[in-house]
Amino acid sequence: MSIKRFIPSIYLFEANAVNALDDLTILSDEPLKLAIFYAESGADELLIFEMSQNEQDKQKNLDIIKEIAAKAQVPVIGAGNISRMEDVKKLLYSGCAKAALSFANEKNIAITKEVSKKFGKDKIIACIGEKNEITANEGLLNDFVSEIIIINEHLIRDADEISSLPMILHAPKISLDKIMELLTKPVNTAITGNAINHNAKELFKIKDLCRENGIALSEFKAAIEFSALTKTKDGLIPVIVQENSSNEVLMMAYMNEEAFNSTLKSGRMTYYSRSRKKLWLKGETSGHYQYVRSLTADCDKDCILARVTQIGVACHTGESNCFFNTIIEQKSTDKKSPAKVLEAVLSIINDRKANPKEGSYTNYLLDKGLDKILKKMGEEATEIVIAAKNPNANEIKYEIADYLYHLMVLMAEKEIGWAEIMEELAKR
C-alpha cells in the first residue's frame, strides 16, 4: 500500500508567491509566511516552483527557498528554471530535499543520469507535461528518477496508465471527492497544486477522512502503543523534552492517550494540561511549536524522552528552556566539547562587535573592515600550508587555531553563526 502525501505548491515570481504557473497574480508578498501556514496546516512536503526571469531574481528566490527550507519544518521539493547540474546543486544546497527537472526541456533529459548519480536517485524527480516525455524516456526515468510530477491536468485522469512510477499529481482546484478518488490509485503517491492549496485549512480533516477510508498517510507510526506505557493513576505519562540539534533540555510536561495520538498525527508536540484539564498544542498561541524528531520510552516505560526542533523559545517566561532556577552548581573541570568552544569564541567575537573594547585585536580587525579580515585569512591559510610541511604536529595546531579565529571574525562580520555552517555541512 503506497503512502499518500499532501503537498501544497508555492509559485515564486519576483520574490512573491503568485497564484499558479500560468497566473502571475500575487497571492502573497510573504512566501515564507505562506509556507509556514501550509506546514502548520498539515502539509507533508512543499513544492516550490522558482520562476525567475533573470539571475538577480533567481538569487532572491533561492534565498527565499533557503529560508523556507530552514523554517517550515517539512521537506521542500525545488522546481523551475533547471537546465544545468549547477541549478540542481543550488536548489539542494538551498535546503531542498529533492529537485524536479522538467522533461519539456531537453537539457534536463540530458543531465538526468548525471545528477542522479551525483546527488542520488531519491533526490531527483521528473516533471512531465506530455505523454511522449514518458514513453521516449522510460528507461531513463525508471533507472534515475524517484518520482514523477504530472503537471498537465489532461494527463491526470489516466496517469496510472502512462507509467508505473510513483506519481505526484499537480492538480487544479478540484472537489474533495475527486481528491479522494485520485488517492485510491496505488501509483498516485501525492496530490499537489491548487487542489491542495485551496484546501489547506482542511488538511487535517481530509487526513482523518483518509484514515476512515483505509488510505495510508505519511505520519509517525508508534513502535510502542500508549497502552503499553506505564501511566500515573490519572492515566498520564511524563515527557522530558530535548532540543534535537543542541541536546538542550527544554521542559517537562505530561501526555494522556489523546495527546499522544495527536502528537503522532500532527508531528507537533501536544500535551495534557493538568491545571486546565485539556489538551494543549505547544505553540498554538505563541507560534513556538515543537516539531517531533523522535519519541523514546525509558527502561520502565514510565517516562518519554521527546527530541524536537523547537521554534522560538520553550518557556512561557521567554527563556530558551524552563530550567533556569539554579539550586546548586559546581563549575565543571571537564574539557569543553569542540562545538561549545567554537560557539563560545564566536560569542565573544560577536560581543566585541556589539560592545567594542579598547585595545582589542578583534575590534581592530572589525574596524579595518572586510579587506583586512580577508588579508589576514589569506596569511593564516599560508601559515597552515607551511606548518604542514613541518614534522612538529604542534605547529599546525597553532596555525589552524589562528585560522579558525580569523574565520570567526569573518563570520561575525557577515553575521553567520556556527549552526548555519553545521547545517550546510550536514546536507553534504
Side-chain angles (χ1 to χ4, degrees), residues 66-136:
K66 183 173 184 178
E67 194 171 18
I68 289 173
K71 295 181 179 179
Q73 300 301 319
V74 294
V76 172
I77 301 169
N81 283 326
I82 297 176
S83 58
R84 307 168 300 164
M85 179 182 284
E86 183 71 13
D87 299 325
V88 176
K89 185 175 79 171
K90 284 182 177 180
L91 283 170
L92 296 177
Y93 284 6
S94 293
C96 293
K98 301 175 184 178
L101 287 65
S102 171
F103 268 43
N105 184 343
E106 291 188 1
K107 291 182 180 178
N108 285 337
I109 297 172
I111 67 169
T112 297
K113 181 177 180 179
E114 184 181 10
V115 296
S116 181
K117 285 189 171 183
K118 180 173 177 62
F119 300 110
K121 177 180 176 179
D122 61 315
K123 293 184 181 294
I124 305 302
I125 296 176
C127 283
I128 301 297
E130 300 295 338
K131 183 176 179 180
N132 69 296
E133 292 169 10
I134 294 180
T135 54

Side-chain angles (χ1 to χ4, degrees), residues 2-144:
S2 63
I3 303 297
K4 310 299 182 180
R5 294 123 61 211
F6 295 91
I7 308 177
S9 296
I10 295 176
Y11 311 97
L12 278 183
F13 180 75
E14 295 183 348
N16 295 309
V18 298
N19 276 338
L21 288 169
D22 56 356
D23 180 358
L24 300 184
T25 305
I26 294 176
L27 178 65
S28 172
D29 59 0
E30 298 182 275
L32 173 61
K33 190 173 180 180
L34 180 63
I36 290 174
F37 162 72
Y38 286 148
E40 291 177 355
S41 297
D44 297 304
E45 298 175 27
L46 293 172
L47 173 59
I48 302 180
F49 287 93
E50 193 280 298
M51 300 163 59
S52 60
Q53 295 183 311
N54 57 59
E55 282 301 315
Q56 185 177 2
D57 283 347
K58 184 170 187 172
Q59 190 54 55
K60 288 181 182 177
N61 284 344
L62 286 171
D63 288 343
I64 291 170
I65 291 172
K66 183 173 184 178
E67 194 171 18
I68 289 173
K71 295 181 179 179
Q73 300 301 319
V74 294
V76 172
I77 301 169
N81 283 326
I82 297 176
S83 58
R84 307 168 300 164
M85 179 182 284
E86 183 71 13
D87 299 325
V88 176
K89 185 175 79 171
K90 284 182 177 180
L91 283 170
L92 296 177
Y93 284 6
S94 293
C96 293
K98 301 175 184 178
L101 287 65
S102 171
F103 268 43
N105 184 343
E106 291 188 1
K107 291 182 180 178
N108 285 337
I109 297 172
I111 67 169
T112 297
K113 181 177 180 179
E114 184 181 10
V115 296
S116 181
K117 285 189 171 183
K118 180 173 177 62
F119 300 110
K121 177 180 176 179
D122 61 315
K123 293 184 181 294
I124 305 302
I125 296 176
C127 283
I128 301 297
E130 300 295 338
K131 183 176 179 180
N132 69 296
E133 292 169 10
I134 294 180
T135 54
N137 302 287
E138 190 171 359
L140 183 71
L141 290 166
N142 286 328
D143 292 340
F144 299 105

